[in-house]
Amino acid sequence: MISRALIAAAFLGVSSTAHAATGEIDTGTTAWLLTATLFVLMMCLPGLALFYGGVVRAKNVLSIFVQMYVSAGVIGVLWVIYGYSLVVDTTGMVEGEYSFNSFVGGLNKALLAGVDPQAAASGVPEGVLIVFLMAFAIITPAIVAGAFAERMKFSASVLFLALWFTFCYAPVAHMVWGGPGALMVNWGALDFAGGTAVHINSGVAGLAACLVLGKRTNYPRIPMPPHNLVLTLTGASMLWVGWFGFNIGSGLAVNGQVGLVMLNTQLGACAGILGWALMETLTRGKPSALGVASGALAGLVGITPACAFVGAGGAIVIGLLTSVACFYAITDLKHRFGYDDTLDVFGLHGVGGIVGAILTGLFAAPSLGGTVEGLDIGRQLLVQTASVVFTIVYCLALSWAILKLIDWAIGLRVVQEDEEEGLDITSHHESAYNA
Amino acid sequence: MISRALIAAAFLGVSSTAHAATGEIDTGTTAWLLTATLFVLMMCLPGLALFYGGVVRAKNVLSIFVQMYVSAGVIGVLWVIYGYSLVVDTTGMVEGEYSFNSFVGGLNKALLAGVDPQAAASGVPEGVLIVFLMAFAIITPAIVAGAFAERMKFSASVLFLALWFTFCYAPVAHMVWGGPGALMVNWGALDFAGGTAVHINSGVAGLAACLVLGKRTNYPRIPMPPHNLVLTLTGASMLWVGWFGFNIGSGLAVNGQVGLVMLNTQLGACAGILGWALMETLTRGKPSALGVASGALAGLVGITPACAFVGAGGAIVIGLLTSVACFYAITDLKHRFGYDDTLDVFGLHGVGGIVGAILTGLFAAPSLGGTVEGLDIGRQLLVQTASVVFTIVYCLALSWAILKLIDWAIGLRVVQEDEEEGLDITSHHESAYNA
Amino acid sequence: MISRALIAAAFLGVSSTAHAATGEIDTGTTAWLLTATLFVLMMCLPGLALFYGGVVRAKNVLSIFVQMYVSAGVIGVLWVIYGYSLVVDTTGMVEGEYSFNSFVGGLNKALLAGVDPQAAASGVPEGVLIVFLMAFAIITPAIVAGAFAERMKFSASVLFLALWFTFCYAPVAHMVWGGPGALMVNWGALDFAGGTAVHINSGVAGLAACLVLGKRTNYPRIPMPPHNLVLTLTGASMLWVGWFGFNIGSGLAVNGQVGLVMLNTQLGACAGILGWALMETLTRGKPSALGVASGALAGLVGITPACAFVGAGGAIVIGLLTSVACFYAITDLKHRFGYDDTLDVFGLHGVGGIVGAILTGLFAAPSLGGTVEGLDIGRQLLVQTASVVFTIVYCLALSWAILKLIDWAIGLRVVQEDEEEGLDITSHHESAYNA
Amino acid sequence: MKLITAIIRPFKIDAVREALTEAGVTGITVTEVKGFGRQKGHTEVYRGAEYVVNFLPKIRLETVVADELVDQVLAAIRHSAGTGKVGDGKLFVCAVEQAVRIRTGETGVDAL
Amino acid sequence: MKLITAIIRPFKIDAVREALTEAGVTGITVTEVKGFGRQKGHTEVYRGAEYVVNFLPKIRLETVVADELVDQVLAAIRHSAGTGKVGDGKLFVCAVEQAVRIRTGETGVDAL
Amino acid sequence: MKLITAIIRPFKIDAVREALTEAGVTGITVTEVKGFGRQKGHTEVYRGAEYVVNFLPKIRLETVVADELVDQVLAAIRHSAGTGKVGDGKLFVCAVEQAVRIRTGETGVDAL
Ligand SMILES: Nc1ncnc2c1ncn2[C@@H]1O[C@H](COP(=O)(O)OP(=O)(O)O)[C@@H](O)[C@H]1O
Ligand SMILES: Nc1ncnc2c1ncn2[C@@H]1O[C@H](COP(=O)(O)OP(=O)(O)O)[C@@H](O)[C@H]1O
Ligand SMILES: Nc1ncnc2c1ncn2[C@@H]1O[C@H](COP(=O)(O)OP(=O)(O)O)[C@@H](O)[C@H]1O
């Protein structure tokens, strides 16, 4: 079984491969990881910003961009101060054993102590790895921001994103990718590219945020249609393309597996489109643009943990089912429960991440076309479920606490007049569009 | 003579290179093909969607995006079901001989039977090759969609794109890239990156579509200026950048040739801009934004078949001449014949593809700076013409038949009221822009 | 000390490495340089065009795009005619000695004489290098165009960009990257990716242009707010992502250094965001979208010359200080001096380039975390200052002369009515947006 | 017949439309406009350049009604459009001499 | 002088302009508006949220003409703007007390 | 009360607003419109398709003022909006029978 955790571990010097041993740079692997990093950065800015920005009202589109820029700035700097260390430092971890460091990395690499960005780790300069992983740490909180869009104070949002990155993202990323001795690695959970650490994590945090924050004023009484769907579809397309950097890059290597990951990622997206289009056609008579874009992303969320472990057929089924589940969550469940998840962070990333994580345990089985030899479906489904439940509970609790704390300290919401006038003018002195 | 067909053949195991023999992954080549695939996918979404979407009226921009998303979804899945096999399966083919399989591949790789996406073929995991070629199969029908924009039923358009992919794209792609024994390979036609299979094919299908479908209501009596040229220019720029993935990637290798292909591709675009700007300045006094973007793409279409076979001077001349020919076709011929090719699919891809294919036969000669040793210009021009004529006839006949069939079965056109109200609302329940 | 100049020199055959000697292609290095080239091209179109186009008024947005397309076309062709040779031809140069060719390359490679785009130089086909360096030659004049936006005649702008490329860009690029014997290489100036040749050069030319051309009519009496900041922020994000291609690609190699360059580039941008956001918060109470995007780019400009020579801490400080300096230049200095630099070319690239160049001399010292062993800070600051002053003086004089010449020959400015109606209609017969 | 022109806050449009429908109005035409009045604007800043934006987004609503409906319609708009804060807007009444329905050629009150 | 205000279908604007020019009208001002009336709207759906859109795009055309031209102008618009289907729009006529051409200061019918 | 409607050049809006404020006007509503008149339009060309654009961007400015202010306001606009070139625009004056301030219910001149 080739898991990203193991590869990551190899990278981090826990185990050693020929390359790591010799400390030589492999130019091909490095070339790809440089490229993958660029695409993951592009997913966030402009990809996610456009995807989100098009759906909010014209008076709030800049607030999305400012949040993403500033949180990228803050997290980028925090990443080299302590984030990287919290995720990758393996001090105190022993394969199969549980300790404090099964939950979060140490601070031995804080301020990049002892790290030479030019030195090779598994054939790639460590500086490239630092930025590749930083890109994940930047985009995950940015996804959360979609849930509280159009009503959160700018200062509160930045504070939240920084704290959430520290107390939710970094630990969960460590539990998943920290290598032998990390919680979910010990459990044997399968999560290739971040279904748990990225999608369930951000989705659940989004749910917490929109519950604590409350609905937008007048929601859903007054229609709030997307102000510019061309932006949204452009952003979704960039997310789709960038997702290959995300999924394939997560292997941290260029080997035969990249062929499988690329194919599965693409099929997940394609099947996701078909799933959503089908559901819309059945329920409304016609597929919509926002729908098919959402379907593509739902499929991609679903295939993220599975992409190296399943066959092409499994990828199609996962894309299809995740898309249908997200469709149901967003068009039905959300309205039934009445929370106001502005950009459907929970419906897309939370629900999609959960469905994808569970289905990974199923379709990874060789009998269903998967690649994980010797997998016991029943046991694996349990492990997957455990990792899902753990992430939900941990993330819900921590996110809630952080939000309450900020609300108590500086207040979470803008005043109603500012919300009505729009955050662009009231929080940033700007209008996106001027005649 | 290094032709893409031969390289493709090598890839598919027909002939064998050192890499293929050992089955080892070359990390550099794989890194580039991963990247090239991403750029070709980006050409379609968001590139082509923006390029097209900006030119249509605001009430139809989403319909362009939905068509592209859904057809990507459908073709992506069909690709692993039978498309890949129809294009690359070489069963029954013998170098220089003609058989049924000279026209279309067999079904031995249907459902990816016997294909291991992780296994190396010519140094690259086959999964990467599958998605790289899939990207071509997705974008080519998408190009056609520009010709029937703003008036085709959504269901008809998806049906058309799926059938056209099956009966037009897959066979022609096989004839061009199927390796020894494939029709145009036997003929010795030079087509490096798809002048025939992609551009003439889509351009001619576009012509068929707008002829069968008829003009948009009130065309050309009522002005239908592009609703947002910034989208169009952004899309054109992305197509330009992505085209390097398309052209260079088509070599399926990283070798000295990529230097030539990159340089020629860039020069084709640059000369194309100058050609169009010049023509506009001569006829109208000033170059336009839509014009220079069209010129860049015309130059790129022209250089596509030639990019590995000509010198820098030849590339400039091809870019220039193709651009002038397309300018003439679009600004004069179209109005004279009176067909309504909404996005000038025939004028750009059809005419550009034909001019480029013919000029390739000329400038590939070493005496004109080309790289194909021993090329007999007269003979090659004949071969190129034959491949052009064959593609036109085959594609026109098949496209026509498919369109008539769909018209008979479910009808091609939306009713006039829906056309006037716009496809976004009537076919997808959405408006792109909301205050 | 590893300087880009030396690597460039290696590339150009002045010195030889194992690869260059054997003339073998390294697939990984080539894969990366292909990719880097694509990203640098994307920086210009659509990146810079969107960044600029969003800030001008709606009636002038297409004029930005046309200028960029046509100047790309012209410079692309001039590049193979004489530009490449003027920059890289090393005839007549001797390490440490000064001759005419210390200032500009010869014409031995004009019309690509003796250049085989397929032949390997330092492991990469020369054709790739030609286009990579061409992308720099295209974007640098395009940056300048921001200073004279909204009022320059189209013909004059194209003429200016072509002449400026010839007499300003090519020589300065040669002085910086021409290898041993080139002016600034002889001096020992540290400029990894083009702080001098690209940023100071374009920034100062921009200043010259807006001084010679005069203010836009009614500036600053009538408000001229950006017409679409979403375009601007999208463009800025693309510039940010593309900048990795620019900075990392400048090493022309894939080695340990790319890890350092990638990390520093990212930290420069992040710190730049924080710097600008901080200044805006201090002076206005809130950070703005245009502000944080400008800050990211300011940080990137600042880190450009330094990115391979400083440590992570140095990168953060450089990003921060450059951003603060640019903030001050743009929000205060410009208004005080009263020139009308439409897109703040001088404030961002000129000032940012100068600050970055000087700080490079400081933070390159190992005592401050830098990587340049044995660096004498005092001496290096002198050298850096000398290269800055030389570039400013040379570029100001030449740019001024070219502008005056064009003004005398054909006139620089459009008539006032055309300026009021907008350049899109009066220079290009088009409107960007139609209902 | 009278033309009633109302300048109102944008987010009140749906409430006003409902109130008017209830009052028996069958046709309304609305325009996005910018209004200058007692309500104070805001400042926008772009790279240090400050612009005071005095013109605020408003909706201009027009409806032509029979004379006997005027008071009712004025009241309906007043109640549905008000927030009590500066900037709620105005109502203007002008005389309309003739109305024609393009489709049928009906004139006068029948055309409304 | 009378102000004739016409609410018409957007795609009819060119036909109406031609008809008006023929009828001797020399100046027209048009505005993009949204109209609510008998013509039924459509439903938009975004991720399951349904919005009934009652306001449909219309063009509001204004022209001030001399009294003697009014009937001719009304007829010209009626004929050029009609499709016979619900939603063709309305014509309203109001009295104008004064007109001034800004450029010259001419007043009354001379200003038109 | 009178409704003064001015069709002016877009870039004159700030000058006119200042002039009106000085003249004692406290409320203005403006709309982006397109105007057809003596001022000639331009030709746009998209891939060889030529469109003559006759409708040029204008601003429609409306202000309701007390009768005694009318002349002053007309003069203020004339002077601030004029360039002396064709296309400067028009002023139209109509009678307003009633005005209401939504916020307070004030009517007549008090509502302005
Ligand atoms: N005299 C007027 N003529 C035309 N429009 C006016 C006039 N006075 C106000 N308005 C419009 O009404 C809007 C609201 O007016 P304002 O003075 O801000 O608040 P209020 O209506 O509460 O007194 C303005 O933005 C403007 O559009
Ligand atoms: N009483 C009215 N006042 C103002 N505008 C009206 C009125 N009635 C209709 N309109 C405008 O005319 C348009 C067409 O009216 P509608 O009732 O839909 O069809 P028809 O004109 O065929 O009866 C409406 O969309 C609206 O803009
Ligand atoms: N009779 C009219 N009715 C309504 N609007 C008019 C009329 N005449 C002119 N306009 C408006 O005034 C604008 C300027 O008129 P035009 O004839 O071009 O120049 P001028 O005002 O200098 O005579 C036009 O674009 C149009 O919007």
Side-chain angles (χ1 to χ4, degrees), chain C residues 51 223-224 226 284 294 343-344, chain D residues 44-51:
Chain C
F51 181 64
M224 303 176 178
R284 299 266 161 211
S294 307
L343 276 321
D344 290 313
Chain D
E44 298 185 4
V45 191
Y46 300 98
R47 286 193 181 150
E50 258 186 53
Y51 305 127

Side-chain angles (χ1 to χ4, degrees), chain E residues 27-29 62-64 101 103 112, chain F residues 7 35-39 58 85-90 92:
Chain E
I28 304 171
T29 301
E62 289 169 297
T63 182
V64 176
R101 188 193 305 277
R103 171 164 47 97
L112 302 181
Chain F
I7 314 293
F36 171 81
R38 277 171 190 78
Q39 187 186 3
K58 299 281 170 195
K85 275 176 265 169
V86 178
D88 275 356
K90 316 275 166 174
F92 302 123

Side-chain angles (χ1 to χ4, degrees), chain A residues 271-322:
Chain A
I273 291 169
L274 298 184
W276 204 293
L278 218 73
M279 293 306 293
E280 284 193 326
T281 306
L282 291 175
T283 59
R284 299 267 162 208
K286 19 194 96 144
S288 72
L290 183 57
V292 294
S294 307
L297 299 187
L300 287 162
V301 169
I303 201 64
T304 295
C307 55
F309 306 128
V310 302
I316 291 175
V317 177
I318 289 177
L320 214 66
L321 292 182
T322 311

Side-chain angles (χ1 to χ4, degrees), chain D residues 7 35-39 87-90, chain F residues 27-29 63-64 101 103:
Chain D
I7 313 294
F36 170 83
R38 277 173 190 75
Q39 186 186 2
D88 276 356
K90 317 274 166 175
Chain F
I28 304 172
T29 301
T63 182
V64 176
R101 188 192 306 276
R103 172 164 48 96

Side-chain angles (χ1 to χ4, degrees), chain C residues 44-388:
Chain C
C44 187
L45 282 164
L48 188 64
L50 286 170
F51 181 64
Y52 279 3
V55 174
V56 300
R57 286 163 291 171
K59 61 186 177 184
N60 295 320
V61 57
L62 297 180
S63 74
I64 298 282
F65 274 92
V66 185
Q67 274 174 12
M68 295 210 181
Y69 264 89
V70 173
S71 91
V74 171
I75 291 171
V77 171
L78 293 182
W79 184 250
V80 295
I81 298 182
Y82 58 72
Y84 182 60
S85 191
L86 289 185
V87 174
V88 310
D89 184 13
T90 55
T91 320
M93 289 163 61
V94 181
E95 185 158 2
E97 290 182 17
Y98 297 89
S99 68
F100 180 70
N101 289 119
S102 299
F103 294 88
V104 68
L107 286 169
N108 293 302
K109 295 192 176 210
L111 292 169
L112 301 185
V115 172
D116 176 4
Q118 311 203 38
S122 276
V124 177
E126 190 164 351
V128 176
L129 176 67
I130 296 171
V131 182
F132 179 72
L133 294 181
M134 185 202 288
F136 282 64
I138 286 174
I139 199 175
T140 309
I143 294 170
V144 183
F148 55 68
E150 305 204 288
R151 57 200 184 284
M152 183 114 137
K153 266 189 198 169
F154 174 69
S155 53
S157 73
V158 172
L159 196 55
F160 172 73
L161 295 173
L163 291 174
W164 190 83
F165 153 73
T166 308
F167 294 105
C168 258
Y169 178 74
V172 178
H174 179 79
M175 295 181 224
V176 175
W177 295 319
L183 188 73
M184 301 196 192
V185 181
N186 280 352
W187 288 356
L190 293 173
D191 179 2
F192 189 73
T196 335
V198 174
H199 296 293
I200 302 182
N201 213 1
S202 62
V204 168
L207 184 63
C210 63
L211 288 176
V212 173
L213 209 58
K215 301 178 197 180
R216 285 168 290 174
T217 303
N218 292 320
Y219 176 90
R221 215 173 39 71
I222 283 188
M224 303 176 178
H227 92 279
N228 188 331
L229 280 178
V230 174
L231 301 183
T232 298
L233 287 154
T234 303
S237 306
M238 288 179 159
L239 284 166
W240 183 353
V241 173
W243 219 290
F244 292 98
F246 193 100
N247 279 5
I248 305 174
S250 283
L252 301 178
V254 172
N255 48 28
Q257 199 185 48
V258 305
L260 184 64
V261 175
M262 172 166 253
L263 180 60
N264 285 342
T265 301
Q266 175 69 0
L267 291 176
C270 291
I273 291 170
L274 299 185
W276 204 292
L278 219 73
M279 292 306 294
E280 285 193 327
T281 306
L282 291 177
T283 59
R284 299 266 161 211
K286 17 194 99 144
S288 72
L290 183 56
V292 294
S294 307
L297 299 188
L300 287 163
V301 168
I303 201 65
T304 295
C307 55
F309 306 128
V310 302
I316 291 176
V317 177
I318 290 178
L320 214 66
L321 291 183
T322 311
S323 182
V324 170
C326 293
F327 172 82
Y328 176 73
I330 287 171
T331 61
D332 188 305
L333 221 69
K334 183 175 70 165
H335 301 291
R336 203 170 300 191
F337 284 93
Y339 58 90
D340 178 17
D341 182 355
T342 314
L343 276 321
D344 290 313
V345 173
F346 179 68
L348 217 48
H349 299 274
V351 173
I354 293 167
V355 173
I358 307 290
L359 293 179
T360 301
L362 195 63
F363 289 100
S367 58
L368 291 164
T371 64
V372 184
E373 295 303 330
L375 179 120
D376 171 344
I377 291 185
R379 206 202 138 275
Q380 192 62 40
L381 283 177
L382 259 174
V383 169
Q384 297 297 105
T385 308
S387 75
V388 166

